[in-house]
Amino acid sequence: MDPASHLGASRMLVANACRVLGARGLAEDVLGHISLRTGPDRMLVRCRGPREEGLFLTTPADVREVDLDGAPVDGEPSEWAAPNELPIHAEILRVRPDVDAVVHCHPPSVLLAGLEDVPLRPVFGAYNIPAARLALEGVPVYPRSVLVRRPELGREVAAALGTASVLVLRGHGIATVGSGPHAVEQAVGRALALDVLARVSVDCARLGGRAEDLPPEDVAELPDLGGSFNDVTLFRHHLARLRHEGLLLR
Ligand SMILES: [Zn+2]
């Protein structure tokens, strides 16, 4: 594939991934974005355009290539602006060369769990193994609810993420990352898993919070089903749901 059509396919991928987040309730309106690294110091990122209609109606034109400061790589002025919270993406991509994609959005479930200090415990297993694994590994928390619009705040977020794959931004939202040829699919899958974990945790707390942690012998029987299943198959399912709902870009 030539570079221009590869970039076009990547913009379509990011746009559809934004639609998945919106359609699945992880982004309630216009807030949230996904980035995909295109070089050591550049990325495709969901920007704000003149006809902004919300994350679940993202178009490929909303996905622009910018440098880590948010300037357009082609140098051409446009009607699109990098998101205010670009430093979340830029500072994670800067300190995590293993990361190729970053998701940032505001799932209501994670917001509630964070505000009420509902612990994200490993209370379920095969129901959703990627979500169970997040609970078993522990989910780091960035304790500030600020708008991450300056590089120093982005560096705080990146430091709170550390080497983890997901981060709760308390009173704000989440950041998740992905790596490799299916980085966007992986980062979206982790965001969906974190949302499942938070939704179950909040509902358990509402019901009295009596669920016990998994015993070690059950944890030992939770295999890693692999990236092609966890990320690619799951993402294909969510694209099919978009198609069913008339929302898939092609
Ligand atoms: Zn945000």
Side-chain angles (χ1 to χ4, degrees):
M1 197 184 290
D2 68 74
S5 57
H6 184 262
L7 204 61
S10 296
R11 293 172 83 181
M12 184 72 83
L13 171 66
V14 171
N16 271 321
C18 288
R19 289 182 171 222
V20 168
L21 294 180
R24 302 279 73 83
L26 276 71
E28 291 182 292
D29 44 47
V30 299
L31 301 179
H33 13 81
I34 297 175
S35 61
L36 173 62
R37 186 195 290 279
T38 50
D41 56 357
R42 58 180 59 180
M43 70 186 103
L44 285 172
V45 66
R46 205 296 192 181
C47 291
R48 299 260 170 261
R51 289 168 292 281
E52 174 67 56
E53 290 188 318
L55 212 64
F56 95 121
L57 291 171
T58 298
T59 68
D62 295 325
V63 183
R64 320 293 295 188
E65 193 174 29
V66 302
D67 65 20
L68 297 185
D69 298 319
V73 165
D74 62 11
E76 297 291 322
S78 81
E79 295 176 289
W80 278 264
N84 284 325
E85 295 193 297
L86 187 79
I88 293 175
H89 303 266
E91 300 308 321
I92 290 174
L93 292 174
R94 208 187 292 278
V95 300
R96 288 280 302 269
D98 62 307
V99 166
D100 295 304
V102 179
V103 166
H104 170 62
C105 58
H106 301 170
S109 58
V110 182
L111 177 77
L112 281 175
L115 292 178
E116 288 292 322
D117 279 328
V118 175
L120 302 178
R121 291 191 293 117
V123 296
F124 58 81
Y127 170 66
N128 186 317
I129 294 177
R133 291 214 165 276
L134 290 181
L136 288 162
E137 290 161 6
V139 177
V141 177
Y142 174 61
R144 305 184 69 188
S145 61
V146 293
L147 190 73
V148 185
R149 60 182 170 170
R150 296 197 308 275
E152 60 265 37
L153 295 171
R155 286 193 286 275
E156 288 183 3
V157 168
L161 175 69
T163 59
S165 59
V166 303
L167 175 71
V168 170
L169 287 75
R170 192 169 187 274
H172 178 178
I174 64 171
T176 68
V177 301
S179 304
H182 299 294
V184 169
E185 293 91 329
Q186 187 177 52
V188 168
R190 287 168 168 166
L192 292 164
L194 182 53
D195 180 55
V196 167
L197 176 60
R199 274 193 279 129
V200 171
S201 300
V202 166
D203 282 347
C204 282
R206 282 199 183 107
L207 292 169
R210 289 179 298 274
E212 294 185 359
D213 285 13
L214 292 183
E217 59 271 27
D218 285 9
V219 173
E221 295 292 341
L222 294 178
D224 181 355
L225 298 175
S228 69
F229 184 82
N230 289 337
D231 304 325
V232 179
T233 304
L234 181 73
F235 195 74
R236 193 184 306 126
H237 161 74
H238 285 289
L239 292 184
R241 287 176 73 154
L242 286 186
R243 187 175 66 238
H244 184 71
E245 293 157 3
L247 290 167
L248 183 68
L249 295 161
R250 290 189 259 197

